[in-house]
């Protein structure tokens, strides 16, 4: 099942979708389901590293089923530390008949040979640009630790109301500080995690998102949680459907490069492109311009992103300071958050959470 799933990922399908589909159609026991998930997610995350491990012993080009079998075998040998005889024989069995001899020979050599990684990006299995960007923005030590952390399976957290939400996202909801009876907007609300969290304060939540399908998911969530104080709309956050200067708090949980949550989507690191960052920064600025228009006198604006790039955090902070100089910064949250411009940064390794950045500002009365 893992081999089939990985072939589809290699072909461009999303690992999360492929695994959910394969497991949905299977009657595997719980342990085996977890094992399939680990194999597919792990091999996808560590694709570059696994490819390095095997390519040392391969001279001719390989067809996808053979290549995927080798990656899967290398993942078990090197990262799961599966005993060599077990990993090799189980992998040979799923390889195409014509290449079983080759898969067997290559994996035996992978099991026996010492590894000298050519560079950090190969060892940690990320594209060069992500490693270079985080090293430049965070420094080598913090970048390496963040990248290592995002190769681990994310920890699960469940809210009191049963909704699974990472603690970093829960802290963002707390930072908004919504109070009973207040009108609070969430301009990028789907799939509804933070909006439904905000509603628990007793505030009325004006939630909107530009994506109809994702907003439908949010609507289902809101209904399941009986969060009746969430009003949902499909709307571009750059032109929000709410009255100007009418909200006590506005959250912009902006679309971002997601470089703080690469552990959640195993293939995201291979899909993201460096040119996404400036495009997203432009959108983040436009969303913030619109959010500022919604603030009532004395109201609070919260900007959050699940990424670690300086452009989308410090850069946005600097831009806000010049574009909206009358907004005053509010104190950032304390440890494990760290001071980051006028806002705060949460490194994923700091408390074993998602990586996140947060900035809180207030409009004068
Ligand atoms: C980080 S996610 C929001 C997650 C959500 N706040 C939660 O906690 O469940 C960013 C969202 O921004 C939405 N988005 C992208 N461009 C947008 C736009 N121009 N206006 C409003 N929403 C937008 C995406 O559809 C996506 O759902």
């Amino acid at each position: 099942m893992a081999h089939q799933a990985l072939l589809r990922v290699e072909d461009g399908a999303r690992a999360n979708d492929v695994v959910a589909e394969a497991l949905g159609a299977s009657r595997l026991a719980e342990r085996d389901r977890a094992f399939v998930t680990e194999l597919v997610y792990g091999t996808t995350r560590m694709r570059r590293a696994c490819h390095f491990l095997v390519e040392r012993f391969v001279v001719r080009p390989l067809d996808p089923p053979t290549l995927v079998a080798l990656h899967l075998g290398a993942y078990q040998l090197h990262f799961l530390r599966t005993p060599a005889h077990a990993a090799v024989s189980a992998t040979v069995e799923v390889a195409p008949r014509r290449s079983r001899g080759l898969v067997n020979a290559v994996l035996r050599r992978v099991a026996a040979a010492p590894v000298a990684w050519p560079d950090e990006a190969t060892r940690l299995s990320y594209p060069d640009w992500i490693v270079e960007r985080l090293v430049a923005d965070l420094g080598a030590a913090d970048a390496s630790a963040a990248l290592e952390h995002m190769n681990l399976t994310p920890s699960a957290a469940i809210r009191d109301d049963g909704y699974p939400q990472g603690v970093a996202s829960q802290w963002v909801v707390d930072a908004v500080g919504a109070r009973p009876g207040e009108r609070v907007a969430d301009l990028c609300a789907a799939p509804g995690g933070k909006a439904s969290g905000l509603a628990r304060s007793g505030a009325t939540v004006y939630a909107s998102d530009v994506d109809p399908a994702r907003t439908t998911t949010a609507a289902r969530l809101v209904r399941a949680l009986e969060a009746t104080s969430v009003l949902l709309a499909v709307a571009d956050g750059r032109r929000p459907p709410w009255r100007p200067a009418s909200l006590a708090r506005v959250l912009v949980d902006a679309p971002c490069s997601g470089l703080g949550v690469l552990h959640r989507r195993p293939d995201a690191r291979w899909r993201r492109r460096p040119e996404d960052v400036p495009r997203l920064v432009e959108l983040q600025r436009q969303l913030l311009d619109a959010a500022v228009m919604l603030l009532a006198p004395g109201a609070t604006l919260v900007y959050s992103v699940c990424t670690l790039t300086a452009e989308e955090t410090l850069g946005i902070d600097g831009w806000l300071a010049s574009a909206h100089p009358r907004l005053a910064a509010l104190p950032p949250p304390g440890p494990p958050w760290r001071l980051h411009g006028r806002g705060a940064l949460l490194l994923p390794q700091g408390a074993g959470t998602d990586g996140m950045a947060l900035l809180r500002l207030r409009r004068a009365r």
Side-chain angles (χ1 to χ4, degrees):
M1 195 180 282
H3 183 257
Q4 289 301 314
L6 282 166
L7 257 179
R8 291 186 54 202
V9 173
E10 195 71 17
D11 217 31
R14 286 178 195 275
N16 291 9
D17 296 343
V18 169
V19 168
E21 219 174 278
L23 292 182
S26 88
R27 301 179 56 187
L28 288 182
E30 207 46 54
R31 270 187 67 196
D32 291 331
R33 303 169 83 83
F35 187 47
V36 170
T37 307
E38 170 64 41
L39 288 175
V40 177
Y41 286 8
T43 306
T44 301
R45 278 195 286 260
M46 303 316 287
R47 189 192 184 285
R48 183 173 183 180
C50 290
H51 192 71
F52 169 79
L53 293 173
V54 300
E55 76 173 344
R56 299 174 293 166
F57 308 116
V58 173
V59 286
R60 60 182 169 82
L62 299 172
D63 55 90
T66 304
L67 187 69
V68 162
L70 286 171
H71 290 167
L72 183 56
Y75 182 70
Q76 293 170 81
L77 287 168
H78 191 83
F79 294 103
L80 293 184
R81 307 231 163 261
T82 311
H85 60 273
V88 174
S89 66
T91 308
V92 166
E93 262 176 55
V94 299
R97 202 164 287 280
R98 61 184 179 280
S99 55
R100 287 187 180 170
L102 176 138
V103 168
N104 183 52
V106 170
L107 289 182
R108 282 184 189 289
R109 298 192 66 181
V110 170
V115 183
W117 297 108
D119 49 52
E120 280 288 278
T122 308
R123 179 178 77 84
L124 296 169
S125 193
Y126 289 89
D128 290 339
W129 79 269
I130 292 183
V131 176
E132 285 161 11
R133 176 66 59 103
L134 293 192
V135 167
D137 289 359
L138 301 173
D142 282 340
S144 273
L147 293 164
E148 297 258 19
H149 179 85
M150 292 187 290
N151 280 337
L152 305 175
T153 302
S155 58
I158 309 269
R159 242 162 41 187
D160 314 337
D161 61 2
Y163 178 71
Q165 184 176 48
V167 287
S169 292
Q170 297 184 34
W171 290 338
V172 170
V173 171
D174 294 344
V176 175
R179 301 212 196 104
E182 281 181 345
R183 292 145 59 95
V184 178
D186 178 349
L187 292 188
C188 304
K194 297 192 187 68
S196 60
L198 289 167
R200 282 150 44 94
S201 66
T204 302
V205 183
Y206 294 73
S208 56
D209 196 283
V210 77
D211 185 321
R214 288 171 63 87
T215 308
T216 302
T217 306
R220 277 201 206 99
L221 173 66
V222 162
R223 203 174 314 135
L225 295 175
E226 298 177 24
T228 49
S229 60
V230 179
L231 310 175
L232 262 178
V234 175
D236 191 322
R238 292 170 290 188
R239 288 180 295 280
W242 322 122
R243 198 149 41 82
S246 69
L247 288 133
R249 296 169 202 272
V250 179
L251 171 64
V252 178
D253 187 37
C256 71
S257 57
L259 301 192
V261 291
L262 293 172
H263 45 326
R264 296 210 177 267
R265 280 188 294 136
D267 41 14
R269 67 188 67 186
W270 311 121
R271 293 180 191 280
R272 254 316 148 210
R273 296 275 171 260
E275 57 272 23
D276 295 341
V277 176
R279 180 180 57 75
L280 288 160
V281 165
E282 185 54 33
L283 178 55
Q284 289 155 1
R285 291 180 179 190
Q286 292 172 358
L287 289 163
L288 285 165
D289 276 333
V292 170
M293 298 294 295
L294 293 177
L295 299 174
T300 301
L301 171 66
V302 176
Y303 170 74
S304 60
V305 279
C306 57
T307 195
L308 309 170
T309 69
E311 272 182 82
E312 295 165 275
T313 57
L314 298 174
I316 289 289
D317 181 25
W319 170 80
L320 273 167
S322 61
H324 299 284
R326 297 169 56 125
L327 297 180
L330 290 170
W337 296 81
R338 60 155 82 161
L339 205 60
H340 195 57
R342 295 180 296 167
L345 181 70
L346 180 65
L347 292 175
Q349 66 270 31
T353 63
D354 293 346
M356 197 75 71
L358 179 74
L359 177 63
R360 295 195 301 165
L361 301 170
R362 172 168 290 161
R363 180 181 161 184
R365 287 202 175 275

